[in-house]
Amino acid sequence: MKDRQLVWSNKRVRELSKNFIPVADACDRMQKEACKDADALIFQKFARQRTYKKGNRGGAQGHYAVTPSGELLASSSMGDPKVFAQLMEEALEKWEAMPKEKRLLPGTPDPAEAGKWRKVEKLYPEDGLVLRHISRDLEKARWPDWNLDYAWFRKEEARQFVPPELKAGAAHDVPFALMERLARFHLIDNVYGLNYTFFPDGSVQKARLTVTVEKIEGAKVFLQLEGETRADTEVPETIGFAPKLLGSATWDTENERFTAFEMVAVGNRWGLGNCNLRRDPTPAPMGIVFTLAGDSPAERLPPVFVSRYEW
Amino acid sequence: MNPNLRMKTPLALTIFNLLPILAASFGPANTRAQEKPADGELTQDTYEIWRDHVLPRSWELKFQKIEWRTSFWEAVCEAQEKDMPILLWTMNGHPLCNT
């Protein structure tokens, strides 16, 4: 996460990146030797190699300048933009000096090949509700102290946030199954890093969101959100989160979709997690804000636990 | 490899790199100190304070200014077609999402 602020926010690095095809991707699948997907076979040619060896982090994580054929030009996992900018310049020099037949693949790669491994991406709810999830602690244990994810709802699920009776003052509770999914997979602690621990089935004691129609103006239904959840478990990790929920949303009855959505969840979290770099299990306030996501490729990335949605 | 790259210590580099961020954190453009919630209570009165505390500042989102492709294979195909090198940022979990 430091890379977001240290490396890729740097003006020189951003400027130099225009000489490359810049890409961000997870290495979890590609770095497995058993993985024989087309992208993984290229990735495995250079993964874990470092031309700048300081600051090495685990596995194949890091920054690489490579050719389409998988030739390594430069690599580092150091969070230093000056070092990396210099590596990028060196990579461009190597690229220019390398024969074309070495830097390019012998044949034309087929973009459609990605369909073999990018399966959850196909579940993107085009006509549903996509929320951006941002988390941050009240008290910063260290920096950087925020992270993001996305939450997906299909059209028929999004509709369940809206009271069936559309008149001012009408209220209803969002079905427990939807709120339970939110509590299990999205009201979790990823402030300092990806948390592989979600709340298992049966660990959500409370998951209520009451949605009230505030007013109606033409096709716009203005909604108020209020609720609370509580989830805790001791298996596989001792973790818990008990937030209050508040927010507002606007439902468009003509297009049957939300045109605005903002919900804040605040409460004590406790426990650690798995790989999320949380070091203090003591209960402490954490906040999560959900807002409507945009439509850029990055905002269409799947939620970490989408495969658990049972879609 | 430029040998000068190896002369700096990681600690010195870290402090050096954090200077603009520290400046941004305490400078007049950043009002987090005033906006920070007093406690973990979420009420109608603390709603905006909490929301603004959690949401990232513009300087925390500068990394999004790069025209990131979101899959390595997509980048391979495009780089092959355009005869350009690839710049890959890879982490456990997608770097632009939940890492």
Side-chain angles (χ1 to χ4, degrees):
Chain A
M1 282 164 53
K2 285 180 183 171
D3 296 338
R4 290 176 183 160
Q5 265 81 69
L6 283 179
V7 178
W8 304 110
S9 297
N10 180 271
K11 195 174 178 183
R12 180 69 181 142
V13 169
R14 282 190 279 131
E15 196 60 34
L16 282 166
S17 72
K18 293 173 183 169
N19 298 296
F20 297 81
I21 302 296
V23 55
D25 201 352
C27 58
D28 311 53
R29 172 185 53 84
M30 294 191 293
Q31 69 187 351
K32 291 175 185 165
E33 285 182 22
C35 181
K36 301 300 177 194
D37 295 331
D39 61 342
L41 293 177
I42 295 176
F43 180 74
Q44 289 162 13
K45 288 185 188 175
F46 58 82
R48 294 186 175 83
Q49 296 180 50
R50 313 289 187 200
T51 56
Y52 185 76
K53 301 190 188 303
K54 282 188 180 174
N56 198 16
R57 65 187 76 173
Q61 299 179 104
H63 322 118
Y64 300 87
V66 297
T67 71
S69 61
E71 293 289 332
L72 181 66
L73 301 169
S75 68
S76 161
S77 63
M78 182 85 170
D80 179 0
K82 290 203 168 185
V83 168
F84 194 61
Q86 195 153 352
L87 288 176
M88 290 166 80
E89 288 171 349
E90 291 172 9
L92 289 170
E93 287 174 17
K94 285 185 191 171
W95 169 265
E96 290 298 333
M98 190 177 287
K100 196 169 181 176
E101 61 271 20
K102 187 174 181 186
R103 65 194 191 201
L104 297 183
L105 290 163
T108 304
D110 179 6
E113 190 84 0
K116 291 179 184 171
W117 60 86
R118 299 197 92 193
K119 290 177 180 162
V120 292
E121 284 82 351
K122 295 174 189 167
L123 299 173
Y124 181 82
E126 295 284 354
D127 55 358
L129 172 64
V130 177
L131 297 177
R132 183 182 73 154
H133 152 141
I134 302 281
S135 59
R136 197 187 298 263
D137 280 350
L138 172 60
E139 297 294 343
K140 173 167 40 180
R142 63 187 176 283
W143 176 91
D145 62 332
W146 70 277
N147 204 355
L148 73 158
D149 195 4
Y150 293 94
W152 287 357
F153 300 91
R154 285 179 165 159
K155 184 174 183 177
E156 63 273 20
E157 294 172 339
R159 183 66 181 79
Q160 293 177 52
F161 280 84
V162 184
E165 189 183 14
L166 294 180
K167 69 172 189 181
H172 94 137
D173 285 352
V174 177
F176 180 79
L178 264 192
M179 289 306 298
E180 183 187 39
R181 191 173 87 196
L182 195 75
R184 288 181 63 198
F185 305 124
H186 298 289
L187 292 171
I188 59 175
D189 172 17
N190 69 341
V191 172
Y192 299 104
L194 167 61
N195 189 351
Y196 289 103
T197 304
F198 57 87
F199 290 105
D201 193 15
S203 59
V204 177
Q205 291 97 47
K206 204 184 288 179
R208 177 185 63 81
L209 183 67
T210 303
V211 182
T212 305
V213 177
E214 182 190 12
K215 61 180 178 178
I216 300 172
E217 291 179 359
K220 290 182 179 175
V221 181
F222 294 87
L223 305 166
Q224 293 294 319
L225 318 176
E226 181 278 323
E228 59 184 328
T229 70
R230 180 188 171 90
D232 70 73
T233 183
E234 293 183 356
V235 178
E237 306 281 342
T238 299
I239 54 167
F241 186 37
K244 293 271 197 290
L245 311 173
L246 280 178
S248 60
T250 306
W251 175 257
D252 179 340
T253 54
E254 278 181 8
N255 297 303
E256 291 208 302
R257 64 188 310 157
F258 284 100
T259 55
F261 195 107
E262 182 180 279
M263 185 170 74
V264 177
V266 171
N268 273 354
R269 53 128 288 280
W270 58 93
L272 298 176
N274 181 3
C275 291
N276 64 339
L277 303 175
R278 175 71 67 181
R279 291 168 190 161
D280 183 357
T282 311
M286 177 177 77
I288 296 176
V289 177
F290 295 92
T291 54
L292 273 190
D295 196 31
S296 71
E299 291 167 294
R300 295 171 70 98
L301 287 169
V304 164
F305 296 116
V306 68
S307 59
R308 304 272 176 178
Y309 278 15
E310 297 181 358
W311 277 7
Chain B
M1 169 64 68
N2 183 336
N4 292 329
L5 290 179
R6 300 183 186 281
M7 293 174 65
K8 297 173 183 174
T9 66
L11 178 61
L13 286 172
T14 301
I15 292 170
F16 179 81
N17 290 329
L18 285 174
L19 282 176
I21 288 154
L22 290 171
S25 299
F26 295 104
N30 190 302
T31 54
R32 174 172 295 175
Q34 290 94 338
E35 292 174 350
K36 186 175 173 182
D39 54 33
E41 277 296 306
L42 179 66
T43 64
Q44 295 293 351
D45 289 340
T46 64
Y47 178 87
E48 288 186 11
I49 298 170
W50 257 105
R51 178 196 63 195
D52 295 347
H53 170 74
V54 172
L55 290 177
R57 308 299 186 266
S58 59
W59 62 267
E60 291 178 306
L61 295 172
K62 279 186 179 174
F63 70 97
Q64 293 180 342
K65 290 186 176 180
I66 293 174
E67 289 185 36
W68 295 109
R69 282 60 165 175
T70 57
S71 91
F72 179 55
W73 185 247
E74 177 191 357
V76 167
C77 296
E78 187 177 346
Q80 174 87 5
E81 185 186 338
K82 295 180 176 173
D83 192 11
M84 287 178 72
I86 297 164
L87 190 61
L88 170 65
W89 172 25
T90 187
M91 300 290 292
N92 292 331
H94 202 291
L96 300 178
C97 185
N98 193 343
T99 187

